[in-house]
Amino acid sequence: MSWIDPDFPKTATLSALVGRVLGLNPGMMTGPGTNTYLVGRRDPVLIDTGAGVTDYLPLLEAYLAERGWTQPARVILTHRHRDHMGGIEQLRRRFRGLRVAKMVHRDAALPGPIEDLRDGERVEGDGVTLVPVYTPGHASDHLCYYLVEERALFTGDVVLGGSTTVIPSDDGDLLDYLASLRRLLGLDARRIYPAHGPVIEDGPGRIREYIDHRLMRERQILECLADRVETIPLMVERIYAEVPRSLHAVAAMSVESHLKKLAREGRVLEHRERDAASRWQLV
Ligand SMILES: [Zn+2]
């Protein structure tokens, strides 16, 4: 996919308060890779750890040295997906006693001690205040972070720079996701620092695009159902006709998340079939 940009900078200083180090894990789902952010004037707070790619640690250390820093003061995570917290162990080996926090929620196994961080519990760094904002939908444990001094948002995987977000069928929820987008819009942030892709200068504009995109997909699905196109594979064939077939599995997940949302709202019914895809119908 085109959003895997090989020229995406490996490190960048994005403002007086925000630096970025790339997780070096490019791919279809991660774009150029996971962005990790260093926030503060000194002793920076690190947001996310990347996937645990070996070359990330020397890259992080080189960037810390470039800024005259020795190590992150602490780590805060956006959510449990491996490309965000897979780097915890290598960071702990290098920086002994490093504190790590996330919202602990439906987590089966966590690597070592993790502090529980909740919506609204301010994280104070050097010259910065980060406020966790609970934003489920992509993942049930997802926190965004509002940077008070810049009126900026670290959106994790809720808003991305260059792609739409996947709502996984196991732990995702589109109804929650849309509520999370509306909550972020209400914060009236300016910049968005996404976990994948470049900085978004017009934060509210991008959030509105995301909401509009989902509503457009929902209309397309309702049109399919009205035309008796009733299974997910057939809906994907029709709605994603112009999208490469290699992406149809991801598209099917997206259609399923829409149908589950509509079912929760009492607008569609699922008829489970033995040995075949479910049929969906308008109520
Ligand atoms: Zn994720």
Side-chain angles (χ1 to χ4, degrees):
M1 255 170 97
S2 59
W3 84 306
I4 307 175
D5 173 8
D7 298 324
F8 194 80
K10 298 209 169 13
T11 63
T13 300
L14 303 165
S15 76
L17 301 176
V18 181
R20 184 181 68 200
V21 178
L22 189 60
L24 305 176
N25 54 323
M28 190 182 85
M29 305 299 283
T30 59
T34 306
N35 294 324
T36 72
Y37 291 102
L38 291 155
V39 189
R41 295 197 179 279
R42 280 173 307 172
D43 303 321
V45 176
L46 177 64
I47 299 179
D48 283 342
T49 68
V53 172
T54 312
D55 289 345
Y56 169 74
L57 196 56
L59 184 66
L60 174 71
E61 291 195 271
Y63 183 73
L64 288 167
E66 186 188 316
R67 300 293 304 270
W69 298 333
T70 49
Q71 71 164 80
R74 58 181 298 188
V75 176
I76 57 178
L77 302 167
T78 57
H79 64 297
R80 68 168 74 85
H81 291 163
R82 202 184 56 80
D83 59 316
H84 298 260
M85 60 182 284
I88 291 176
E89 278 165 25
Q90 71 171 354
L91 286 170
R92 280 199 169 128
R93 275 198 299 275
R94 176 64 187 82
F95 307 114
R96 286 175 152 258
L98 185 64
R99 292 168 61 199
V100 180
K102 76 181 282 295
M103 180 172 169
V104 179
H105 178 71
R106 291 189 203 162
D107 285 302
L110 290 170
I114 305 268
E115 296 167 42
D116 189 13
L117 187 59
R118 296 276 148 174
D119 182 271
E121 282 182 7
R122 289 165 171 256
V123 174
E124 305 286 350
D126 188 74
V128 290
T129 305
L130 290 158
V131 186
V133 184
Y134 182 45
T135 40
H138 168 77
S140 62
D141 64 338
H142 199 291
L143 295 177
C144 294
Y145 294 99
Y146 182 75
L147 175 57
V148 174
E149 288 74 11
E150 289 189 7
R151 283 177 50 204
L153 268 172
F154 295 89
T155 52
D157 280 357
V158 174
V159 179
L160 304 177
S163 170
T164 57
T165 298
V166 172
I167 308 298
S169 44
D170 52 351
D171 188 41
D173 184 305
L174 186 58
L175 198 56
D176 288 349
Y177 180 69
L178 283 164
S180 292
L181 287 177
R182 293 196 175 101
R183 184 168 178 209
L184 292 181
L185 197 55
L187 297 175
D188 200 30
R190 291 178 293 204
R191 257 188 174 187
I192 283 178
Y193 297 106
H196 303 276
V199 172
I200 299 156
E201 297 296 347
D202 176 15
R206 180 63 62 89
I207 295 170
R208 272 187 224 102
E209 277 174 31
Y210 265 49
I211 294 171
D212 291 346
H213 174 79
R214 296 288 172 173
L215 295 178
M216 187 252 316
R217 281 277 180 262
E218 183 167 294
R219 276 196 301 277
Q220 291 174 323
I221 288 166
L222 291 169
E223 282 164 21
C224 282
L225 294 173
D227 293 345
R228 298 293 177 106
V229 176
E230 293 181 324
T231 69
I232 292 175
L234 291 174
M235 290 183 229
V236 169
E237 292 274 340
R238 174 152 142 183
I239 298 171
Y240 295 86
E242 77 289 6
V243 170
R245 294 196 74 86
S246 60
L247 297 174
H248 280 197
V250 178
M253 222 192 287
S254 172
V255 171
E256 186 182 357
S257 66
H258 276 282
L259 289 165
K260 281 186 180 169
K261 168 186 177 285
L262 291 165
R264 264 182 76 187
E265 293 170 333
R267 296 161 70 188
V268 302
L269 272 181
E270 178 179 7
H271 301 279
R272 291 179 190 280
E273 302 283 325
R274 189 196 287 262
D275 303 324
S278 289
R279 286 185 306 110
W280 297 80
Q281 285 181 323
L282 293 171
V283 171

